Amino acid sequence: MKTSTDRKIDVLEVLADLEHYRPKRKGWTWRSRIENQQIGPFVYKDTSSNLKQSVPLCAARDFSGIDPQCDLVITTEIASGRFEDDLRRMRMAAWHGADHIMVIRTTGQSHIDGLIEGTPEGIGGIPITRKQVRATRKALDAIEEEVGRPINFHSYVSGVAGPEIAVLFSEEGVNGAHQDPQYNVLYRDVNMRRSFVDAAESKRILADAGILQLDGAHNANATAKEAWKVLPELFVQHAINTAYSRAIGMPADLIALSTVPPTAPPAPKLRIDLPYAVALREVFRGYRFRAQQNTRYMESDMLEASVTHVLDTLISRLTLTDIQSTITPDEGRNIPWHYNNIAGVNTARQTLMALDGITEQLELKKSGPLREQAREIKERAVLFLEEIVDIGGYYTAVEAGHFVDSGHYPERNDDGITRDPDAGDGHGTVVRRETDYGAPVCSHFGFNAYSRKDRKPCEDYGGCTLCDPSKIRYIDELDPEDSVDKRLKTPVEERKSGLLRPEVEKHGDGVVCVTLFIPAEPHVAEAAAIHMARHMGLHNPEVISRRQMHPAEGSVFEIKGILDICVTVDELTLTEPEQPLPEAEIEAYVRPRNVHVIAATIGEDEHSVGLHEILDIKHGGIEKYGFYCHNLGTSVAPARVLEMVRKTNARAVLISTIVTHADIHRQHMRELDALARQLNMREDLLIIAGGTHVTDDVARQCGMDAGFGKATTGQDVASFIVRRMQEIRH
Ligand code: Z97
């Protein structure tokens, strides 16, 4: 399957002949660090290969469009509930630098003792089935080609069907997975014996397939009342899972510890989180680290969430994390939207590029509070572990409620999660293997009657699905009603007929978001905001974020609602943007002609940065084509501009106008046009306006020959002048 940059990913093509699709590669891929890499004007210290195609950060425009890629893997979590919509989001995320796609499962799949088939819709994630996994891997295989970098696909090997899902992941080329028997016990009430027996099997399968394992310790952080108090316990959870994984034979570099910096401002974040991260790195040297952003304190303010992400990422960089996981900044208010996945990825990308080479410049102190606190956390963790051993082991400790207790260990508040070793999902299902037990696949932990020294166990029974993929039984759909074919009917028809609706999550959901500041006390303001949103035509308006600016002066609201509008591409007036003339052509025309240009910011406008960019040779401005530019400076009166036109016999005037208070920019443009007419100078003179709020339409309405807004280059302006001069001549 091939994608093309100017076409949407074709889900029907993804689904075609899926029965025979095999993944292109298996196992986890890290980025390779390139030291001292020259990209554009900079030499980078901590980058990896550039992408073949990408969407750079916005400011890249001022740095020759570069898009350096950090050396950490960047994760995005995808969870629309429909895998066919997830695919489009994955593609966008990959173009923004994500190479670890975590597909969240529909809530509670851990309780299902077996595989699910087909493509049922999920809530807050998708049911993990063979068809959905295979289709996703197939789409990601094509997306990898587009961006030129391997993309790791990830989901969960937790719950009572852990070993079956591990086999499925190995067969289908899934590259990373959460596997932690403690997660099952604490958060899904799976029987503890069953959970640990299954974990042995699952971990062996993951190890054989080169799948990176993430543990589940971060969940204690997200669940605890005061997350910074469970830090000693997090060490214990990491230690149990790591030791268990090693005992099963999993290599160290397939084990990633899933960590979360536990606090957020207004807490003194770095003072608490940094010693924790340092202590973790020291105790678990040799293992990989995946740092996830903190969601525990996330409210509906996306900016606040993003600032916490930046600080979390700073900690990651200082403590040499391997995977930077991102959370969408809208998690506190809705199921993540497409563009907020991208916002999360960009927060990491932007921060990590800013921090390039930081460890060459800064060093964490070797003594003092940082090390003392780190040591204290380790001591508390060791005491915790010793107590578990003393009281009879892990099962007894869980039964006694020692985990996710809100006390700061060794303090206990007796409010931890308690589980009975003789209860829970799958209780009573652990049985001793018969003496003739034969494992169904070659990857297996413990006794297998088919084991032989000199050949693969499955040779005895004609091959297993891991060694011979043709033995995989592919079930397409079990429920024709709850299936992708049915769901795709409308989207496919709408796309074919060129129909467009706004969307945030699923095809054509129509959801939009508006921001309103209402100058009244909060409850009045909120009622007014909802009322106004209804007037705007939004159905089911709902406040997703409210922030008080002042108890009496007003509040700002973000409101989502459904905009029941669709347009067809045919009814849109589309003008092809005019391509600028080639630079050589501009220069060949301008240089021999002695063309003078007068430039200024007019009226009471002191903003001259934009104007310099258009004029100055050092910014690639029009001077380089041979224009004689007379920059009169800032806040120049229209009369003075025209006086200089006369003096120099200038052919064009470039005015820059940024300030738009009371439409002053329109007034200035009109004044200049009127005065030029009055002085009989307008006919031969090109008057061009530029500025962040100027559009070609607005400028022309105000008597200008053209208007140039954001992102204009000197080449654009020079092309316009040359074309008009050529027209006038003919
Ligand atoms: C994350 N932000 O980073 P079920 N196993 C583990 C888990 O952490 C989870 C599941 C299984 C989060 C994502 C929370 N984690 C969401 C170790 C879920 C999922 O299918 O809901 O039963 O289990 O992971």
Side-chain angles (χ1 to χ4, degrees), residues 93-167:
W95 276 62
H96 285 259
D99 56 341
H100 178 202
I101 306 285
M102 276 182 50
V103 171
I104 306 299
R105 295 202 305 200
T106 192
T107 322
Q109 188 166 345
S110 289
H111 300 297
I112 298 173
D113 198 356
L115 296 181
I116 310 173
E117 303 289 355
T119 50
E121 189 167 349
I123 296 167
I126 59 162
I128 288 295
T129 70
R130 184 179 303 280
K131 185 171 176 184
Q132 312 217 47
V133 166
R134 191 175 286 185
T136 303
R137 188 62 264 180
K138 182 176 172 187
L140 286 174
D141 284 348
I143 295 168
E144 288 189 351
E145 292 287 324
E146 249 183 16
V147 295
R149 173 161 72 198
I151 295 176
N152 296 299
F153 172 30
H154 179 119
S155 197
Y156 301 87
V157 174
S158 301
V160 271
E164 289 91 328
I165 293 187
V167 170

Side-chain angles (χ1 to χ4, degrees), residues 212-408:
L212 183 77
Q213 171 192 268
L214 270 63
D215 67 21
H218 63 284
N219 287 291
N221 235 334
T223 316
K225 202 165 124 216
E226 294 167 314
W228 67 97
K229 292 196 174 164
V230 297
L231 299 186
E233 170 179 338
L234 293 177
F235 274 70
V236 170
Q237 288 201 26
H238 286 309
I240 291 173
N241 197 49
T242 304
Y244 199 66
S245 306
R246 291 311 299 273
I248 277 135
M250 187 175 268
D253 71 346
L254 283 184
I255 298 175
L257 277 62
S258 180
T259 72
V260 179
T263 70
K269 183 174 171 62
L270 263 79
R271 187 141 51 79
I272 295 171
D273 298 1
L274 196 54
Y276 163 61
V278 165
L280 262 181
R281 254 297 180 209
E282 286 172 353
V283 170
F284 295 97
R285 194 169 290 129
Y287 295 101
R288 299 289 189 164
F289 281 78
R290 170 258 196 168
Q292 191 192 247
Q293 253 71 58
N294 196 319
T295 48
R296 176 74 186 80
Y297 312 99
M298 239 183 196
E299 294 290 330
S300 60
D301 187 328
M302 304 236 300
L303 198 55
E304 189 177 310
S306 298
V307 171
T308 304
H309 284 191
V310 171
L311 295 168
D312 285 338
T313 309
L314 170 65
I315 295 170
S316 294
R317 208 10 136 196
L318 292 176
T319 56
L320 310 176
T321 290
D322 303 279
I323 304 176
Q324 185 58 51
S325 205
T326 67
I327 295 294
T328 53
D330 58 339
E331 279 213 3
R333 51 205 233 174
N334 43 249
I335 294 284
W337 291 355
H338 296 316
Y339 53 85
N340 290 321
N341 267 87
I342 308 307
V345 169
N346 281 340
T347 303
R349 176 166 61 149
Q350 186 181 351
T351 309
L352 288 165
M353 282 346 297
L355 294 175
D356 184 73
I358 192 76
T359 48
E360 276 185 359
Q361 297 183 350
L362 292 185
E363 205 171 23
L364 297 176
K365 284 194 167 181
K366 295 279 184 296
S367 60
L370 175 66
R371 302 294 159 176
E372 283 156 23
Q373 271 172 258
R375 185 177 167 79
E376 188 194 313
I377 300 170
K378 291 181 208 168
E379 281 169 357
R380 287 176 193 264
V382 171
L383 285 175
F384 197 139
L385 261 174
E386 281 178 352
E387 190 192 5
I388 294 177
V389 175
D390 283 349
I391 65 169
Y394 176 78
Y395 294 169
T396 320
V398 174
E399 194 175 12
H402 283 193
F403 287 87
V404 203
D405 182 294
S406 65
H408 190 198

Side-chain angles (χ1 to χ4, degrees), residues 355-587:
L355 294 175
D356 184 73
I358 192 76
T359 48
E360 276 185 359
Q361 297 183 350
L362 292 185
E363 205 171 23
L364 297 176
K365 284 194 167 181
K366 295 279 184 296
S367 60
L370 175 66
R371 302 294 159 176
E372 283 156 23
Q373 271 172 258
R375 185 177 167 79
E376 188 194 313
I377 300 170
K378 291 181 208 168
E379 281 169 357
R380 287 176 193 264
V382 171
L383 285 175
F384 197 139
L385 261 174
E386 281 178 352
E387 190 192 5
I388 294 177
V389 175
D390 283 349
I391 65 169
Y394 176 78
Y395 294 169
T396 320
V398 174
E399 194 175 12
H402 283 193
F403 287 87
V404 203
D405 182 294
S406 65
H408 190 198
Y409 190 82
E411 207 179 272
R412 285 204 188 283
N413 289 337
D414 297 327
D415 56 1
I417 296 171
T418 54
R419 298 290 183 217
D420 178 353
D422 295 316
D425 278 10
H427 156 58
T429 53
V430 176
V431 291
R432 197 165 280 284
R433 282 182 185 131
E434 298 288 342
T435 50
D436 62 348
Y437 173 79
V441 286
C442 282
S443 259
H444 171 64
F445 180 77
F447 175 73
N448 179 6
Y450 296 116
S451 274
R452 301 281 184 279
K453 259 211 179 89
D454 50 342
R455 57 195 155 101
K456 288 197 286 189
C458 71
E459 281 181 24
D460 270 4
Y461 54 94
C464 73
T465 54
L466 297 179
C467 302
D468 175 5
S470 71
K471 294 216 170 303
I472 294 171
R473 192 156 165 242
Y474 177 79
I475 298 170
D476 197 352
E477 296 287 350
L478 291 179
D479 180 350
E481 289 307 305
D482 191 2
S483 77
V484 64
D485 300 326
K486 188 138 194 186
R487 285 196 301 272
L488 273 180
K489 261 199 167 127
T490 313
V492 166
E493 277 164 19
E494 290 193 350
R495 280 182 198 133
K496 251 194 204 137
S497 57
L499 215 108
L500 291 171
R501 294 174 208 278
E503 164 185 321
V504 295
E505 215 185 302
K506 297 175 181 152
H507 171 89
D509 54 31
V511 175
V512 297
C513 181
V514 293
T515 307
L516 299 97
F517 171 81
I518 309 291
E521 60 183 282
H523 78 283
V524 174
E526 181 159 338
I530 289 276
H531 193 72
M532 291 172 193
R534 259 195 210 104
H535 272 284
M536 287 184 206
L538 299 194
H539 298 290
N540 305 329
E542 196 184 308
V543 173
I544 53 172
S545 157
R546 49 177 76 74
R547 269 166 293 146
Q548 196 183 94
M549 298 292 111
H550 180 274
E553 297 296 353
S555 289
V556 66
F557 302 91
E558 286 175 87
I559 296 185
K560 76 169 179 186
I562 296 172
L563 184 69
D564 192 10
I565 288 182
C566 59
V567 296
T568 57
V569 178
D570 293 344
E571 68 189 273
L572 302 173
T573 324
L574 297 173
T575 45
E576 278 300 315
E578 196 172 30
Q579 292 307 310
L581 293 173
E583 297 210 286
E585 201 175 309
I586 300 175
E587 190 164 353

